[in-house]
Amino acid sequence: MAPGNINDIVAFVAAAEAGSFVGAARVRSMTRSGIAKSVARLEDRLGVRLFHRTTRSLGLTDDGRIFLERCTQILTDLEEAELSMSDGGGEPQGLFRLTAPMTFGRVMVLPLLNDFLASWPKLKADVSFTDRVSDIVEDGIDLAIRIGETRENSSLITRTLTQQHDLVVASPAYLLVNPAPSHPDDLLGHACLNYVSAGQKRAWRFKLENKTILVNPRARLSLDSGEALRDAAIAGAGLAFLPSYVVNQDLADGRLNRLLIDYAAPPVPISLIYPSRRHLSPKVRRFIDLLVRNIAHRSSHCDLIADII
């Protein structure tokens, strides 16, 4: 690609991100007319209009949005290729953007991330632990972790990391005054603690042989935090349906008891999602390796069954 083409692409991306030619000129230390000419040359070569222009606003066209996505990826790839050939020799550096579900992120990912940052001092991280599903491309996410079935853009890579196993648990104090359920239907007579995400209560699913049993227990308490549900269960507030990685240590220490063992919940996939690129950047590649190595190792202790592709 000719240098002029790259410069025009850089000007286009800067204008799109700044929302104006003036803002792009300030960021790129260029003149407003220089940015405008670069964008015009790019539009002439492509034969499409990239921006809707008025005297007061600058907005991307549909073609412009599609082209911006590709250009942003190209510039990122160029930057990372340059870094990989520098004295760092593939050392993770720059900004690493990561998103993961709240509870899994806090319990399983954060300890690894702390070690990762300590190992690579040139790396910074921008992390979101949330159950909200973000647009990876639009939000500039390097790596996303998803729990459950995914429906991602075909341009993204989806890689199964492991599986989540949910367990019904209750404290010994609760079970002293309430008989343990022997069937999922018995949950309707218990004080249950429900997990709520985006205003939706989570159903409790069980499997016996080839039959799936779906229960929507009457919630005495609903919370949007798995760790808060765990604390409530330990305090004797009711039965909780939680991932094994949240309650495993509590089960081992006797703070919680596992119930309905014969009715195992169907495993839920935990996946890694990242932009499709020929060469992963060192920061993404090394963090994926760290997740695979440690999550697979911990699976033998937490009832997480690794399913590495």
Side-chain angles (χ1 to χ4, degrees):
M1 184 180 291
N5 293 4
I6 287 291
N7 292 335
D8 292 344
I9 287 174
V10 169
F12 161 67
V13 172
E17 291 178 345
S20 70
F21 289 162
V22 173
R26 190 180 302 117
V27 171
R28 300 304 306 172
S29 299
M30 296 173 62
T31 64
R32 179 195 179 284
S33 62
I35 295 289
K37 287 177 182 177
S38 288
V39 172
R41 281 195 301 268
L42 196 54
E43 289 178 328
D44 287 342
R45 282 200 302 273
L46 297 173
V48 299
R49 181 173 290 277
L50 299 172
F51 288 110
H52 294 300
R53 302 173 179 81
T54 69
T55 55
R56 294 186 178 182
S57 66
L58 184 73
L60 286 166
T61 63
D62 289 340
D63 288 329
R65 280 190 288 272
I66 294 170
F67 191 60
L68 176 64
E69 179 183 325
R70 296 301 304 276
C71 288
T72 301
Q73 179 175 317
I74 288 169
L75 293 178
T76 300
D77 286 344
L78 285 173
E79 180 182 358
E80 290 172 350
E82 201 171 291
L83 287 172
S84 69
M85 297 303 293
S86 68
D87 293 338
E91 176 183 353
Q93 51 190 296
L95 182 61
F96 177 45
R97 293 185 175 89
L98 170 71
T99 182
M102 186 184 300
T103 301
F104 185 82
R106 289 174 59 87
V107 174
M108 300 296 286
V109 178
L110 187 57
L112 300 178
L113 183 63
N114 289 335
D115 292 341
F116 192 61
L117 291 174
S119 299
W120 305 107
K122 294 182 181 180
L123 187 69
K124 297 185 296 183
D126 184 347
V127 181
S128 175
F129 290 152
T130 175
D131 293 334
R132 182 182 68 86
V133 177
S134 59
D135 186 311
I136 296 174
V137 174
E138 183 176 321
D139 294 344
I141 302 298
D142 293 304
L143 179 65
I145 299 173
R146 300 270 196 259
I147 296 178
E149 297 300 327
T150 61
R151 295 180 181 179
E152 299 293 340
N153 188 306
S154 60
S155 67
L156 301 174
I157 296 294
T158 299
R159 174 179 178 178
T160 302
L161 173 65
T162 188
Q163 293 178 321
Q164 174 174 299
H165 293 263
D166 296 306
L167 313 175
V168 178
V169 296
S171 70
Y174 178 87
L175 294 174
L176 279 177
V177 294
N178 297 278
S182 58
H183 187 277
D185 290 343
D186 296 339
L187 294 171
L188 298 176
H190 280 269
C192 292
L193 312 173
N194 263 4
Y195 182 77
V196 178
S197 178
Q200 298 294 318
K201 293 183 179 179
R202 181 186 177 206
W204 297 20
R205 294 179 182 274
F206 304 93
K207 195 167 186 178
L208 181 63
E209 298 176 349
N210 294 323
K211 182 181 179 182
T212 298
I213 303 170
L214 182 66
V215 179
N216 287 293
R218 300 183 185 93
R220 184 179 185 189
L221 176 64
S222 296
L223 295 165
D224 64 356
S225 165
E227 291 168 292
L229 281 177
R230 164 192 170 271
D231 292 344
I234 291 174
L239 277 61
F241 189 57
L242 288 166
S244 58
Y245 54 81
V246 175
V247 298
N248 182 71
Q249 192 60 52
D250 300 309
L251 293 172
D253 294 341
R255 288 187 291 270
L256 291 171
N257 292 344
R258 183 180 175 186
L259 309 173
L260 296 177
I261 295 176
D262 293 333
Y263 296 87
V268 179
I270 300 178
S271 304
L272 304 176
I273 314 291
Y274 48 92
S276 176
R277 296 175 182 168
R278 184 173 300 176
H279 301 290
L280 276 176
S281 66
K283 61 190 177 187
V284 178
R285 183 178 65 251
R286 288 181 184 269
F287 195 69
I288 288 176
D289 290 343
L290 183 67
L291 287 172
V292 169
R293 187 167 60 249
N294 283 273
I295 299 301
H297 172 72
R298 291 187 65 173
S299 69
S300 62
H301 304 287
C302 302
D303 277 336
L304 284 170
I305 301 175
D307 182 22
I308 308 305
I309 296 177

